[in-house]
Amino acid sequence: GAVYHHFKSKEEIFNAAFDRAMTPIVEHRRSMLGVGNMTGAQKLKRLYAPESVVPQIELWARIHPAADPVKSSRLLAMQYQGSFDDAVEGIADGSIACECPREAAEAVSLLANLWLLPLFRPLEPKERMLARAQCLAQMAAAVGLDLGNEVLQTTAQIWDVWDRAGW
């Protein structure tokens, strides 16, 4: 009874707990992206680096979110917004130079989150996930977004975290 005085539903309780658990990770990511004079393109690339993504995946492995993208839409929205902000900055500073930089960043973010996270593909072997990461890096490069090898390293580390967690 006392808990429902502060929260109207189980979903509100989960969201509050999730926000609290994510706060240090979000703050770390913000500080990591705010260091130095990075361009928007450099920030977008760093967003896919292991030091940015792996702590979040380790948390997800502990809290066991739903393997359904609709039910885990909060997780996707957080990633999506981060990519969007860096793309807008990259457009403004000229470091992302493609015909549709905002749309390119949006597409890359959606693919990365739906295609590369083992949460949504728990039975995929590591090799398939790495092949997807390579393909995503090539597609991103084709539209002017350089993700470099970070996306491959990150995907490998994400898969290892998920595997160790027994998913």
Side-chain angles (χ1 to χ4, degrees):
V3 172
Y4 285 105
H5 173 73
H6 299 285
F7 303 100
K8 294 179 183 156
S9 67
K10 289 178 187 176
E11 183 179 1
E12 279 190 19
I13 295 169
F14 175 80
N15 288 341
F18 180 78
D19 287 345
R20 186 174 185 162
M22 282 297 295
T23 296
I25 294 168
V26 170
E27 288 173 2
H28 168 72
R29 183 177 286 160
R30 282 188 188 133
S31 69
M32 185 180 71
L33 295 175
V35 174
N37 296 329
M38 295 174 67
T39 66
Q42 291 168 326
K43 288 180 181 181
L44 186 63
K45 186 175 181 179
R46 189 119 188 234
L47 189 64
Y48 292 97
E51 62 270 15
S52 178
V53 178
V54 171
Q56 179 178 322
I57 298 303
E58 288 170 339
L59 172 66
W60 293 0
R62 288 192 309 272
I63 64 172
H64 297 275
D68 176 350
V70 174
K71 291 180 181 174
S72 294
S73 59
R74 254 184 102 115
L75 305 177
L76 294 172
M78 284 181 357
Q79 295 286 32
Y80 180 80
Q81 188 60 46
S83 296
F84 231 44
D85 295 343
D86 294 327
V88 170
E89 191 174 325
I91 295 164
D93 67 21
S95 63
I96 296 177
C98 64
E99 287 188 36
C100 304
R102 187 179 186 106
E103 292 77 10
E106 181 180 345
V108 166
S109 179
L110 287 170
L111 273 176
N113 286 294
L114 290 172
W115 212 31
L116 297 181
L117 291 180
L119 169 64
F120 303 126
R121 298 185 167 277
L123 301 177
E124 287 290 329
K126 186 175 185 176
E127 296 75 28
R128 293 279 306 137
M129 298 302 275
L130 291 173
R132 283 192 179 94
Q134 180 66 44
C135 183
L136 178 65
Q138 291 171 355
M139 289 188 298
V143 295
L145 299 175
D146 177 22
L147 300 181
N149 288 330
E150 282 84 351
V151 73
L152 292 171
Q153 295 167 359
T154 301
T155 301
Q157 288 185 24
I158 288 170
W159 198 93
D160 291 343
V161 166
W162 221 250
D163 190 49
R164 281 192 306 272
W167 276 69

